[in-house]
Amino acid sequence: NFSSVSGFTASLPVEAKRLALQMRYFQCTTAGTIPEINRMLKFLFGRYGGAYVLDGLNMTMRYRFRFPLSWWMKFIFDDFDLLPRPAGVKITYSDGTRKYFGFGPYRVNFGHGNFGA
């Protein structure tokens, strides 16, 4: 069982526990560089479909997963802070299977750009 930041206890599947322990190991042993993290992501998430991290060049990093995230993966990422990163860097993650196209929120501005005809 794992306890979250909010204090409740959740029973996770065995696969989730293994992933959490492997992520914690990498978090403790990595220097937090982009190539090193990408190698770790290939090792951990290659069988699911792959993942990679992008450097925002402004003290942010974005993890991008190429497969739909399960509930327990989101739980691990949100409540245990196990995604490796250098000190002081803000991280976000997203499901990379969604396709976004257009402008503005919900693509309401599509077709109203100021592009020359």
Side-chain angles (χ1 to χ4, degrees):
N1 293 337
F2 287 86
S3 177
S4 72
V5 176
S6 60
F8 75 94
T9 302
S11 181
L12 296 174
V14 173
E15 185 179 2
K17 292 176 186 179
R18 285 185 185 134
L19 183 67
L21 290 172
Q22 288 174 332
M23 289 176 67
R24 180 63 181 149
Y25 170 78
F26 281 117
Q27 190 181 40
C28 289
T29 59
T30 186
T33 63
I34 297 295
E36 204 172 21
I37 292 174
N38 280 328
R39 277 193 301 274
M40 179 269 307
L41 291 172
K42 183 178 180 182
F43 175 77
L44 290 179
F45 298 105
R47 63 184 166 167
Y48 298 110
Y52 58 93
V53 66
L54 300 170
D55 187 357
L57 302 176
N58 60 352
M59 297 299 288
T60 62
M61 292 171 64
R62 182 166 198 66
Y63 282 84
R64 190 93 162 139
F65 296 92
R66 295 181 180 171
F67 56 92
L69 296 173
S70 63
W71 67 270
W72 54 265
M73 284 185 187
K74 291 179 184 177
F75 179 74
I76 289 172
F77 299 156
D78 292 338
D79 288 352
F80 296 126
D81 190 30
L82 292 178
L83 293 171
R85 67 174 188 264
V89 173
K90 179 183 176 183
I91 58 168
T92 56
Y93 68 89
S94 65
D95 180 349
T97 59
R98 295 188 190 122
K99 305 290 184 214
Y100 298 104
F101 184 75
F103 307 103
Y106 308 108
R107 275 84 46 215
V108 295
N109 292 331
F110 186 75
H112 301 289
N114 56 359
F115 300 111

